[in-house]
Amino acid sequence: MTAPVRVRFAPSPTGKLHVGGARTAIYNWAYARHTGGTFVLRIEDTDPTRSTEENKQVILRAMRWLGLDWDEGPEVGGDYGPYLQTERLDTYRDALEKLKERGQVYPCFCTKEELDAKRAAAQEAGVAYEGYDRTCRNIDPDEAAARIAAGEPHVWRLKVPLDHGPVEFDDAVLGHMSFPIEVMDDMVLVRSDGTPMYNFAVVCDDTNMAITHVIRGGDHVSNTPRQILIYEALGYPVPTFAHLSMINGSDGKKLSKRHGATSVEQYRDQGYLPEALVNYLALLGWAPDGETTIFSAQDLFDKFELGHISKNPAVFDVEKLDWMNLHYLMELSPAAYIDAATPFLERAGLATADEIAASRPWFEAIVPLVNERIHRLEELPDKVAFLFGDEVGLDEKSVAKVLAKEGAKDALIACREALAGCEPWDAATIEEQLRAVCDKLELKPKKVFQPLRVATTGSMVSPPLFGSVELLGRERTLARIDAALPQAL
Ligand code: GLU
Protein backbone atom coordinates (compact mmCIF):
# COMPACT_ATOMS: atom_id res chain seq x y z
CA MET A 1 0.00 0.00 0.00
CA THR A 2 1.40 3.42 -0.86
CA ALA A 3 1.40 6.16 1.74
CA PRO A 4 -1.28 8.83 1.39
CA VAL A 5 -0.06 11.80 -0.59
CA ARG A 6 1.33 14.66 1.47
CA VAL A 7 2.61 17.69 -0.41
CA ARG A 8 3.82 21.03 0.77
CA PHE A 9 4.26 24.57 -0.39
CA ALA A 10 7.28 26.03 1.38
CA PRO A 11 7.71 29.73 0.69
CA SER A 12 10.51 31.75 2.24
CA PRO A 13 9.10 35.00 3.64
CA THR A 14 11.82 37.02 1.97
CA GLY A 15 9.39 38.71 -0.42
CA LYS A 16 5.80 38.71 -1.51
CA LEU A 17 4.03 35.75 -3.12
CA HIS A 18 4.88 36.07 -6.79
CA VAL A 19 3.09 34.37 -9.64
CA GLY A 20 5.72 31.62 -9.95
CA GLY A 21 5.31 30.73 -6.29
CA ALA A 22 1.54 30.89 -6.62
CA ARG A 23 1.64 28.42 -9.49
CA THR A 24 3.76 26.07 -7.38
CA ALA A 25 1.24 26.39 -4.57
CA ILE A 26 -1.66 25.73 -6.97
CA TYR A 27 -0.06 22.56 -8.31
CA ASN A 28 0.58 21.23 -4.81
CA TRP A 29 -2.95 22.09 -3.76
CA ALA A 30 -4.44 20.53 -6.89
CA TYR A 31 -2.40 17.37 -6.48
CA ALA A 32 -3.43 17.02 -2.85
CA ARG A 33 -7.09 17.49 -3.74
CA HIS A 34 -6.84 15.17 -6.75
CA THR A 35 -5.39 12.36 -4.68
CA GLY A 36 -7.35 12.97 -1.50
CA GLY A 37 -4.03 13.84 0.14
CA THR A 38 -2.88 16.62 2.43
CA PHE A 39 -1.67 20.07 1.45
CA VAL A 40 0.84 21.47 3.93
CA LEU A 41 1.99 25.08 4.12
CA ARG A 42 5.40 25.54 5.67
CA ILE A 43 7.15 28.84 6.16
CA GLU A 44 10.88 28.63 5.56
CA ASP A 45 12.06 31.52 7.67
CA THR A 46 15.52 30.35 8.67
CA ASP A 47 17.27 33.16 6.84
CA PRO A 48 16.96 35.83 9.54
CA THR A 49 18.44 38.59 7.43
CA ARG A 50 15.82 38.33 4.71
CA SER A 51 12.72 36.87 6.37
CA THR A 52 10.10 39.19 7.81
CA GLU A 53 6.85 38.72 9.67
CA GLU A 54 5.22 41.16 7.27
CA ASN A 55 6.19 39.07 4.24
CA LYS A 56 4.81 36.01 5.99
CA GLN A 57 1.49 37.76 6.51
CA VAL A 58 1.42 38.94 2.90
CA ILE A 59 2.00 35.39 1.69
CA LEU A 60 -0.73 33.94 3.92
CA ARG A 61 -3.14 36.67 2.82
CA ALA A 62 -2.37 36.10 -0.85
CA MET A 63 -2.88 32.34 -0.42
CA ARG A 64 -6.22 32.93 1.27
CA TRP A 65 -7.28 35.41 -1.39
CA LEU A 66 -6.48 32.87 -4.11
CA GLY A 67 -8.55 30.32 -2.21
CA LEU A 68 -5.63 27.92 -1.74
CA ASP A 69 -6.76 26.44 1.55
CA TRP A 70 -4.05 24.47 3.28
CA ASP A 71 -4.84 21.49 5.48
CA GLU A 72 -1.89 21.94 7.80
CA GLY A 73 0.25 24.96 8.47
CA PRO A 74 0.24 28.38 10.10
CA GLU A 75 -3.16 29.44 11.45
CA VAL A 76 -4.69 25.98 11.00
CA GLY A 77 -2.17 23.81 12.87
CA GLY A 78 -1.83 20.09 12.28
CA ASP A 79 -0.16 16.97 13.62
CA TYR A 80 3.23 17.70 12.10
CA GLY A 81 3.75 21.25 13.41
CA PRO A 82 5.12 23.67 14.11
CA TYR A 83 5.06 24.88 10.53
CA LEU A 84 7.62 27.65 10.83
CA GLN A 85 11.22 26.57 10.47
CA THR A 86 12.38 28.91 13.21
CA GLU A 87 10.19 26.92 15.59
CA ARG A 88 11.69 23.61 14.52
CA LEU A 89 15.33 24.23 15.43
CA ASP A 90 15.37 21.31 17.88
CA THR A 91 14.47 18.92 15.07
CA TYR A 92 17.49 20.06 13.06
CA ARG A 93 19.67 19.65 16.13
CA ASP A 94 18.39 16.08 16.56
CA ALA A 95 19.09 15.32 12.92
CA LEU A 96 22.61 16.68 13.25
CA GLU A 97 23.19 14.45 16.27
CA LYS A 98 22.00 11.51 14.23
CA LEU A 99 24.42 12.38 11.42
CA LYS A 100 27.26 12.68 13.92
CA GLU A 101 26.45 9.25 15.33
CA ARG A 102 26.36 7.79 11.85
CA GLY A 103 29.71 9.43 11.02
CA GLN A 104 28.19 11.33 8.12
CA VAL A 105 29.28 14.83 9.07
CA TYR A 106 32.41 16.53 10.28
CA PRO A 107 33.17 19.88 11.87
CA CYS A 108 34.94 22.40 9.69
CA PHE A 109 37.01 25.12 11.30
CA CYS A 110 38.02 26.93 8.14
CA THR A 111 37.35 30.62 8.49
CA LYS A 112 35.53 32.69 5.94
CA GLU A 113 38.82 34.44 5.13
CA GLU A 114 40.54 31.13 4.42
CA LEU A 115 37.72 29.98 2.17
CA ASP A 116 37.58 33.30 0.35
CA ALA A 117 41.34 33.13 -0.23
CA LYS A 118 41.03 29.64 -1.74
CA ARG A 119 38.28 30.81 -4.04
CA ALA A 120 40.30 33.85 -5.08
CA ALA A 121 43.40 31.69 -5.70
CA ALA A 122 41.40 29.38 -7.98
CA GLN A 123 40.09 32.38 -9.85
CA GLU A 124 43.58 33.80 -10.25
CA ALA A 125 44.90 30.49 -11.51
CA GLY A 126 42.07 30.48 -14.05
CA VAL A 127 40.60 27.20 -12.81
CA ALA A 128 37.01 26.68 -11.79
CA TYR A 129 36.50 26.62 -8.03
CA GLU A 130 35.24 23.15 -7.30
CA GLY A 131 33.89 23.84 -3.89
CA TYR A 132 35.30 23.18 -0.50
CA ASP A 133 38.58 21.24 -0.67
CA ARG A 134 37.75 19.02 2.33
CA THR A 135 40.68 20.24 4.45
CA CYS A 136 38.89 19.54 7.73
CA ARG A 137 37.54 16.17 6.64
CA ASN A 138 40.80 14.56 7.65
CA ILE A 139 41.19 16.13 11.05
CA ASP A 140 41.55 13.48 13.72
CA PRO A 141 38.19 13.15 15.58
CA ASP A 142 39.86 13.61 18.98
CA GLU A 143 41.54 16.78 17.84
CA ALA A 144 38.27 18.04 16.38
CA ALA A 145 36.48 17.28 19.66
CA ALA A 146 39.15 19.17 21.60
CA ARG A 147 38.88 22.21 19.33
CA ILE A 148 35.10 22.21 19.70
CA ALA A 149 35.43 21.88 23.47
CA ALA A 150 37.82 24.84 23.42
CA GLY A 151 35.07 26.89 21.77
CA GLU A 152 36.57 27.19 18.30
CA PRO A 153 33.89 28.31 15.82
CA HIS A 154 32.94 25.62 13.33
CA VAL A 155 30.28 24.60 10.86
CA TRP A 156 29.11 21.04 10.18
CA ARG A 157 29.64 19.65 6.72
CA LEU A 158 28.23 16.58 5.03
CA LYS A 159 30.80 13.87 4.38
CA VAL A 160 29.84 13.21 0.76
CA PRO A 161 30.53 9.52 -0.02
CA LEU A 162 33.23 9.72 -2.66
CA ASP A 163 32.49 6.26 -4.04
CA HIS A 164 28.78 7.02 -4.41
CA GLY A 165 28.51 7.14 -8.18
CA PRO A 166 26.13 9.60 -9.85
CA VAL A 167 23.18 10.88 -7.83
CA GLU A 168 20.07 9.91 -9.73
CA PHE A 169 16.35 10.38 -9.43
CA ASP A 170 13.26 10.15 -11.58
CA ASP A 171 11.62 13.52 -11.69
CA ALA A 172 7.86 13.36 -12.27
CA VAL A 173 8.16 16.22 -14.75
CA LEU A 174 11.73 16.19 -16.06
CA GLY A 175 12.22 12.44 -16.23
CA HIS A 176 15.43 10.68 -15.27
CA MET A 177 18.06 13.00 -13.80
CA SER A 178 21.68 12.17 -13.07
CA PHE A 179 24.38 14.31 -11.43
CA PRO A 180 28.03 13.26 -11.12
CA ILE A 181 29.13 12.86 -7.51
CA GLU A 182 32.35 14.73 -8.29
CA VAL A 183 30.52 18.06 -8.42
CA MET A 184 29.03 17.65 -4.95
CA ASP A 185 31.21 19.39 -2.43
CA ASP A 186 30.94 18.72 1.29
CA MET A 187 28.17 21.23 1.80
CA VAL A 188 27.60 23.05 5.07
CA LEU A 189 24.53 21.68 6.86
CA VAL A 190 24.70 23.71 10.03
CA ARG A 191 26.19 27.18 10.38
CA SER A 192 28.58 28.14 13.16
CA ASP A 193 25.69 29.75 15.07
CA GLY A 194 23.87 26.42 15.05
CA THR A 195 21.21 27.37 12.50
CA PRO A 196 20.53 24.97 9.62
CA MET A 197 21.28 25.69 5.99
CA TYR A 198 18.38 25.53 3.54
CA ASN A 199 19.14 22.08 2.10
CA PHE A 200 19.43 20.51 5.51
CA ALA A 201 16.31 22.10 6.99
CA VAL A 202 14.23 21.14 3.95
CA VAL A 203 15.26 17.49 4.15
CA CYS A 204 14.57 17.34 7.89
CA ASP A 205 11.18 19.01 7.47
CA ASP A 206 10.08 17.01 4.46
CA THR A 207 10.94 13.83 6.33
CA ASN A 208 9.43 14.82 9.66
CA MET A 209 6.30 16.08 7.93
CA ALA A 210 6.03 12.81 5.96
CA ILE A 211 6.04 14.62 2.63
CA THR A 212 5.64 12.16 -0.23
CA HIS A 213 5.96 14.50 -3.23
CA VAL A 214 8.10 17.60 -3.48
CA ILE A 215 6.58 19.79 -6.19
CA ARG A 216 8.60 22.98 -6.52
CA GLY A 217 10.18 25.49 -8.87
CA GLY A 218 12.79 24.29 -11.34
CA ASP A 219 15.29 26.67 -9.76
CA HIS A 220 15.71 24.03 -7.07
CA VAL A 221 16.73 21.19 -9.42
CA SER A 222 20.40 21.60 -8.59
CA ASN A 223 19.60 21.36 -4.87
CA THR A 224 17.87 18.03 -5.30
CA PRO A 225 20.97 15.78 -5.66
CA ARG A 226 22.41 17.50 -2.60
CA GLN A 227 19.23 16.88 -0.68
CA ILE A 228 19.21 13.26 -1.80
CA LEU A 229 22.70 12.84 -0.32
CA ILE A 230 21.37 14.22 2.96
CA TYR A 231 18.38 11.84 2.91
CA GLU A 232 20.76 8.98 2.34
CA ALA A 233 23.12 10.09 5.09
CA LEU A 234 20.20 10.18 7.50
CA GLY A 235 18.81 6.89 6.23
CA TYR A 236 15.51 8.53 5.31
CA PRO A 237 13.32 7.58 2.33
CA VAL A 238 13.60 9.98 -0.60
CA PRO A 239 10.31 11.55 -1.76
CA THR A 240 9.22 11.89 -5.38
CA PHE A 241 10.33 15.16 -6.95
CA ALA A 242 8.51 17.23 -9.54
CA HIS A 243 10.29 20.36 -10.74
CA LEU A 244 8.30 22.99 -12.55
CA SER A 245 9.50 24.92 -15.56
CA MET A 246 10.38 28.57 -15.46
CA ILE A 247 7.79 31.21 -16.25
CA ASN A 248 8.98 33.66 -18.89
CA GLY A 249 7.62 36.97 -20.09
CA SER A 250 6.36 37.30 -23.66
CA ASP A 251 9.91 38.26 -24.75
CA GLY A 252 11.18 34.83 -23.69
CA LYS A 253 13.11 36.23 -20.71
CA LYS A 254 12.50 35.11 -17.13
CA LEU A 255 9.42 36.86 -15.74
CA SER A 256 10.48 39.86 -13.70
CA LYS A 257 9.32 43.30 -12.67
CA ARG A 258 10.22 44.55 -16.13
CA HIS A 259 7.24 42.64 -17.44
CA GLY A 260 4.82 44.37 -15.06
CA ALA A 261 3.16 43.03 -11.96
CA THR A 262 4.77 39.95 -10.45
CA SER A 263 3.14 39.62 -7.04
CA VAL A 264 -0.27 38.12 -6.45
CA GLU A 265 -1.38 41.17 -4.49
CA GLN A 266 -0.56 43.44 -7.40
CA TYR A 267 -2.89 41.37 -9.55
CA ARG A 268 -5.57 41.58 -6.88
CA ASP A 269 -5.15 45.35 -6.75
CA GLN A 270 -5.51 45.62 -10.51
CA GLY A 271 -8.84 43.88 -10.31
CA TYR A 272 -8.22 40.32 -11.37
CA LEU A 273 -10.53 37.80 -9.78
CA PRO A 274 -8.85 35.05 -7.80
CA GLU A 275 -10.65 32.35 -9.78
CA ALA A 276 -9.33 33.83 -13.02
CA LEU A 277 -5.77 34.08 -11.73
CA VAL A 278 -5.84 30.50 -10.40
CA ASN A 279 -7.25 29.24 -13.69
CA TYR A 280 -4.66 31.17 -15.66
CA LEU A 281 -1.68 30.18 -13.51
CA ALA A 282 -2.76 26.54 -13.51
CA LEU A 283 -2.52 26.62 -17.31
CA LEU A 284 1.10 27.81 -17.23
CA GLY A 285 2.64 24.44 -17.81
CA TRP A 286 -0.33 22.17 -17.38
CA ALA A 287 -3.48 21.53 -19.39
CA PRO A 288 -6.36 19.15 -18.84
CA ASP A 289 -6.38 18.44 -22.61
CA GLY A 290 -5.47 20.30 -25.78
CA GLU A 291 -8.49 22.58 -25.73
CA THR A 292 -10.07 23.45 -22.41
CA THR A 293 -8.91 26.78 -21.11
CA ILE A 294 -11.64 27.71 -18.65
CA PHE A 295 -12.01 25.41 -15.70
CA SER A 296 -13.13 25.58 -12.10
CA ALA A 297 -11.12 24.52 -9.09
CA GLN A 298 -13.14 21.32 -9.03
CA ASP A 299 -12.25 20.57 -12.67
CA LEU A 300 -8.64 21.16 -11.76
CA PHE A 301 -8.86 18.75 -8.84
CA ASP A 302 -10.56 16.14 -11.01
CA LYS A 303 -8.01 16.26 -13.79
CA PHE A 304 -4.70 17.29 -12.28
CA GLU A 305 -1.90 14.78 -12.89
CA LEU A 306 1.80 15.39 -12.36
CA GLY A 307 2.48 13.53 -15.59
CA HIS A 308 0.65 16.22 -17.56
CA ILE A 309 2.95 19.02 -16.43
CA SER A 310 5.06 20.37 -19.27
CA LYS A 311 8.82 20.64 -19.01
CA ASN A 312 8.95 23.57 -21.38
CA PRO A 313 9.13 27.09 -20.04
CA ALA A 314 5.72 28.69 -19.77
CA VAL A 315 4.98 32.13 -21.18
CA PHE A 316 3.09 34.60 -19.07
CA ASP A 317 0.77 36.42 -21.44
CA VAL A 318 -1.05 39.29 -19.78
CA GLU A 319 -3.46 39.63 -22.68
CA LYS A 320 -4.62 36.07 -22.23
CA LEU A 321 -5.02 36.66 -18.51
CA ASP A 322 -7.08 39.77 -19.29
CA TRP A 323 -9.26 37.79 -21.64
CA MET A 324 -9.75 35.15 -18.98
CA ASN A 325 -10.52 37.71 -16.30
CA LEU A 326 -13.14 39.32 -18.53
CA HIS A 327 -14.70 35.91 -18.91
CA TYR A 328 -14.86 35.43 -15.14
CA LEU A 329 -16.13 38.97 -14.57
CA MET A 330 -18.91 38.41 -17.11
CA GLU A 331 -19.98 35.29 -15.23
CA LEU A 332 -20.56 37.22 -12.02
CA SER A 333 -24.05 38.22 -10.99
CA PRO A 334 -24.45 42.01 -10.68
CA ALA A 335 -24.47 41.55 -6.90
CA ALA A 336 -21.20 39.61 -6.89
CA TYR A 337 -19.71 42.07 -9.37
CA ILE A 338 -20.47 45.01 -7.12
CA ASP A 339 -19.05 43.13 -4.14
CA ALA A 340 -15.80 42.65 -6.04
CA ALA A 341 -15.85 46.21 -7.35
CA THR A 342 -16.56 47.94 -4.05
CA PRO A 343 -12.89 48.42 -3.03
CA PHE A 344 -12.15 49.90 -6.46
CA LEU A 345 -15.03 52.36 -6.28
CA GLU A 346 -14.01 53.27 -2.75
CA ARG A 347 -10.37 53.74 -3.61
CA ALA A 348 -11.29 55.99 -6.53
CA GLY A 349 -13.33 58.10 -4.13
CA LEU A 350 -16.57 57.52 -6.04
CA ALA A 351 -18.55 55.90 -3.23
CA THR A 352 -18.00 54.42 0.19
CA ALA A 353 -18.92 50.86 1.04
CA ASP A 354 -21.82 52.23 3.13
CA GLU A 355 -23.12 54.30 0.25
CA ILE A 356 -22.92 51.29 -2.02
CA ALA A 357 -24.74 49.14 0.52
CA ALA A 358 -27.47 51.76 0.83
CA SER A 359 -28.12 51.85 -2.94
CA ARG A 360 -27.47 48.31 -4.08
CA PRO A 361 -30.05 48.22 -6.94
CA TRP A 362 -28.63 51.39 -8.47
CA PHE A 363 -25.07 50.08 -8.29
CA GLU A 364 -26.01 46.67 -9.60
CA ALA A 365 -27.76 48.31 -12.55
CA ILE A 366 -24.40 49.76 -13.60
CA VAL A 367 -22.96 46.30 -14.20
CA PRO A 368 -24.66 45.30 -17.45
CA LEU A 369 -23.85 48.71 -18.90
CA VAL A 370 -20.11 48.30 -18.54
CA ASN A 371 -19.05 44.75 -17.86
CA GLU A 372 -18.44 43.70 -21.45
CA ARG A 373 -15.60 46.17 -21.74
CA ILE A 374 -13.86 45.79 -18.42
CA HIS A 375 -10.98 43.36 -18.26
CA ARG A 376 -9.77 44.45 -14.84
CA LEU A 377 -11.83 46.06 -12.12
CA GLU A 378 -9.32 48.91 -11.85
CA GLU A 379 -10.75 50.10 -15.18
CA LEU A 380 -14.23 50.47 -13.74
CA PRO A 381 -14.01 53.82 -11.89
CA ASP A 382 -12.97 55.75 -15.01
CA LYS A 383 -15.78 54.24 -17.03
CA VAL A 384 -18.49 55.07 -14.50
CA ALA A 385 -17.18 58.26 -12.89
CA PHE A 386 -19.68 60.32 -14.88
CA LEU A 387 -22.51 58.66 -12.96
CA PHE A 388 -21.31 60.28 -9.74
CA GLY A 389 -21.73 63.88 -8.68
CA ASP A 390 -24.11 66.48 -10.02
CA GLU A 391 -21.93 67.89 -12.72
CA VAL A 392 -19.75 66.32 -15.32
CA GLY A 393 -16.65 67.79 -16.91
CA LEU A 394 -16.96 67.93 -20.69
CA ASP A 395 -14.11 66.41 -22.65
CA GLU A 396 -12.76 69.16 -24.93
CA LYS A 397 -12.34 67.00 -27.97
CA SER A 398 -15.89 65.73 -27.65
CA VAL A 399 -17.20 69.27 -27.32
CA ALA A 400 -15.34 70.31 -30.47
CA LYS A 401 -16.40 67.28 -32.49
CA VAL A 402 -19.98 66.99 -31.34
CA LEU A 403 -21.41 69.95 -29.44
CA ALA A 404 -19.78 72.68 -31.49
CA LYS A 405 -21.54 71.43 -34.59
CA GLU A 406 -24.54 72.96 -36.28
CA GLY A 407 -27.78 71.49 -34.96
CA ALA A 408 -26.43 70.20 -31.66
CA LYS A 409 -28.23 72.85 -29.64
CA ASP A 410 -31.62 72.15 -31.26
CA ALA A 411 -31.09 68.44 -30.69
CA LEU A 412 -30.29 68.99 -27.02
CA ILE A 413 -33.29 71.24 -26.51
CA ALA A 414 -35.57 68.66 -28.08
CA CYS A 415 -34.05 65.88 -25.97
CA ARG A 416 -34.51 67.96 -22.86
CA GLU A 417 -38.17 68.47 -23.62
CA ALA A 418 -38.74 64.79 -24.33
CA LEU A 419 -36.90 63.68 -21.20
CA ALA A 420 -38.66 66.23 -18.99
CA GLY A 421 -41.93 64.43 -19.69
CA CYS A 422 -40.64 60.88 -20.05
CA GLU A 423 -42.65 58.41 -17.98
CA PRO A 424 -41.80 55.91 -16.69
CA TRP A 425 -38.13 56.73 -16.28
CA ASP A 426 -36.51 53.60 -17.59
CA ALA A 427 -34.05 52.85 -20.38
CA ALA A 428 -36.67 51.44 -22.76
CA THR A 429 -39.00 54.41 -22.46
CA ILE A 430 -36.11 56.85 -22.61
CA GLU A 431 -34.98 55.23 -25.84
CA GLU A 432 -38.49 55.39 -27.31
CA GLN A 433 -38.83 59.08 -26.48
CA LEU A 434 -35.42 59.94 -27.87
CA ARG A 435 -36.06 58.05 -31.09
CA ALA A 436 -39.25 60.05 -31.46
CA VAL A 437 -37.07 63.18 -31.22
CA CYS A 438 -34.99 61.92 -34.17
CA ASP A 439 -38.15 61.40 -36.20
CA LYS A 440 -39.51 64.78 -35.30
CA LEU A 441 -36.31 66.63 -36.19
CA GLU A 442 -35.75 64.35 -39.18
CA LEU A 443 -32.22 63.75 -37.97
CA LYS A 444 -30.15 60.61 -37.97
CA PRO A 445 -29.99 59.08 -34.46
CA LYS A 446 -26.30 59.92 -34.23
CA LYS A 447 -27.00 63.64 -34.63
CA VAL A 448 -29.31 63.53 -31.63
CA PHE A 449 -27.74 60.93 -29.40
CA GLN A 450 -24.14 62.11 -29.63
CA PRO A 451 -24.82 65.64 -28.32
CA LEU A 452 -26.92 64.14 -25.55
CA ARG A 453 -24.16 61.67 -24.76
CA VAL A 454 -21.53 64.40 -24.52
CA ALA A 455 -23.82 66.61 -22.42
CA THR A 456 -24.72 63.87 -19.95
CA THR A 457 -21.64 61.66 -19.79
CA GLY A 458 -19.03 64.29 -20.70
CA SER A 459 -17.62 62.30 -23.59
CA MET A 460 -18.54 60.88 -26.97
CA VAL A 461 -17.37 57.48 -25.78
CA SER A 462 -19.49 56.14 -22.95
CA PRO A 463 -21.49 53.17 -21.80
CA PRO A 464 -24.87 52.68 -23.53
CA LEU A 465 -26.68 55.99 -23.53
CA PHE A 466 -30.22 55.10 -22.47
CA GLY A 467 -29.16 53.01 -19.52
CA SER A 468 -26.72 55.72 -18.47
CA VAL A 469 -29.41 58.38 -18.63
CA GLU A 470 -31.72 56.17 -16.61
CA LEU A 471 -29.09 55.81 -13.88
CA LEU A 472 -28.34 59.53 -13.86
CA GLY A 473 -31.99 60.22 -13.15
CA ARG A 474 -34.12 62.93 -14.59
CA GLU A 475 -32.94 65.78 -12.45
CA ARG A 476 -29.24 65.38 -13.10
CA THR A 477 -29.81 64.63 -16.78
CA LEU A 478 -31.76 67.85 -17.33
CA ALA A 479 -29.27 69.87 -15.29
CA ARG A 480 -26.38 68.50 -17.34
CA ILE A 481 -28.14 69.34 -20.60
CA ASP A 482 -28.68 72.87 -19.30
CA ALA A 483 -25.03 73.14 -18.34
CA ALA A 484 -23.88 71.96 -21.79
CA LEU A 485 -26.23 74.10 -23.86
CA PRO A 486 -24.01 77.23 -23.86
CA GLN A 487 -21.29 75.20 -25.56
CA ALA A 488 -23.59 73.79 -28.23
CA LEU A 489 -23.96 75.37 -31.62
N1 GLU B 1 11.80 27.93 0.50
C1 GLU B 1 12.11 27.65 -0.87
C2 GLU B 1 11.75 28.82 -1.73
O1 GLU B 1 10.98 29.67 -1.32
C3 GLU B 1 11.38 26.44 -1.40
C4 GLU B 1 12.01 25.21 -0.97
C5 GLU B 1 11.42 23.96 -1.53
O2 GLU B 1 10.31 23.99 -2.08
O3 GLU B 1 12.05 22.96 -1.37
O4 GLU B 1 12.24 28.91 -2.83
Side-chain angles (χ1 to χ4, degrees), residues 8 10-12 42 44 198 202 206 214-216 219-220 227:
R8 82 319 190 261
S12 304
R42 178 174 78 225
E44 304 209 317
Y198 157 73
V202 164
D206 285 342
V214 171
I215 306 167
R216 62 183 170 196
D219 47 337
H220 286 290
Q227 292 177 13

Side-chain angles (χ1 to χ4, degrees), residues 338-380:
I338 290 301
D339 285 344
T342 294
F344 294 86
L345 296 170
E346 276 203 293
R347 214 176 304 148
L350 293 179
T352 65
D354 288 346
E355 286 165 343
I356 295 170
S359 312
R360 286 296 292 204
W362 188 83
F363 280 91
E364 287 171 21
I366 297 176
V367 176
L369 293 184
V370 295
N371 64 349
E372 275 171 37
R373 295 167 213 200
I374 288 177
H375 291 83
R376 300 181 300 276
L377 287 169
E378 68 173 0
E379 298 164 16
L380 177 68

Side-chain angles (χ1 to χ4, degrees), residues 237-487:
V238 179
T240 299
F241 292 96
H243 288 98
L244 309 176
S245 66
M246 290 286 119
I247 301 179
N248 292 335
S250 44
D251 56 0
K253 302 219 171 86
K254 185 170 182 263
L255 194 67
S256 73
K257 292 205 178 97
R258 279 183 303 114
H259 297 99
T262 53
S263 80
V264 168
E265 299 217 323
Q266 280 172 301
Y267 285 94
R268 181 200 62 195
D269 293 346
Q270 290 178 7
Y272 292 95
L273 295 175
E275 298 80 7
L277 195 55
V278 167
N279 186 155
Y280 182 70
L281 292 177
L283 275 178
L284 289 181
W286 175 85
D289 50 51
E291 290 144 37
T292 315
T293 48
I294 301 285
F295 46 79
S296 65
Q298 191 55 52
D299 295 334
L300 178 63
F301 301 162
D302 290 346
K303 307 217 172 90
F304 190 83
E305 299 277 1
L306 293 181
H308 293 167
I309 298 175
S310 165
K311 358 174 164 188
N312 301 324
V315 177
F316 193 94
D317 177 351
V318 179
E319 274 176 34
K320 189 161 176 203
L321 172 60
D322 280 356
W323 168 83
M324 196 170 275
N325 201 50
L326 174 71
H327 171 91
Y328 276 89
L329 284 168
M330 295 280 295
E331 300 256 289
L332 293 181
S333 67
Y337 198 108
I338 290 301
D339 285 344
T342 294
F344 294 86
L345 296 170
E346 276 203 293
R347 214 176 304 148
L350 293 179
T352 65
D354 288 346
E355 286 165 343
I356 295 170
S359 312
R360 286 296 292 204
W362 188 83
F363 280 91
E364 287 171 21
I366 297 176
V367 176
L369 293 184
V370 295
N371 64 349
E372 275 171 37
R373 295 167 213 200
I374 288 177
H375 291 83
R376 300 181 300 276
L377 287 169
E378 68 173 0
E379 298 164 16
L380 177 68
D382 258 7
K383 292 239 178 348
V384 301
F386 75 91
L387 289 170
F388 296 82
D390 290 338
E391 289 156 16
V392 68
L394 301 185
D395 162 56
E396 262 175 48
K397 221 162 109 196
S398 301
V399 171
K401 274 191 115 168
V402 177
L403 286 190
K405 288 278 158 69
E406 199 73 48
K409 185 175 246 163
D410 289 345
L412 279 182
I413 291 171
C415 287
R416 192 192 192 288
E417 205 178 283
L419 293 172
C422 175
E423 282 301 342
W425 186 263
D426 60 37
T429 316
I430 290 166
E431 175 170 5
E432 212 174 275
Q433 298 286 322
L434 292 174
R435 289 200 186 277
V437 169
C438 303
D439 293 344
K440 198 171 109 198
L441 299 182
E442 291 181 0
L443 286 175
K444 284 202 188 122
K446 198 174 157 204
K447 289 276 173 204
V448 175
F449 299 162
Q450 277 303 73
L452 180 63
R453 186 188 299 277
V454 174
T456 52
T457 73
S459 161
M460 49 191 178
V461 189
S462 81
L465 180 62
F466 314 120
S468 299
V469 167
E470 179 190 341
L471 287 178
L472 277 173
R474 191 192 320 268
E475 206 179 308
R476 282 194 295 164
T477 301
L478 300 185
R480 286 183 183 190
I481 295 174
D482 291 341
L485 273 172
Q487 300 202 53

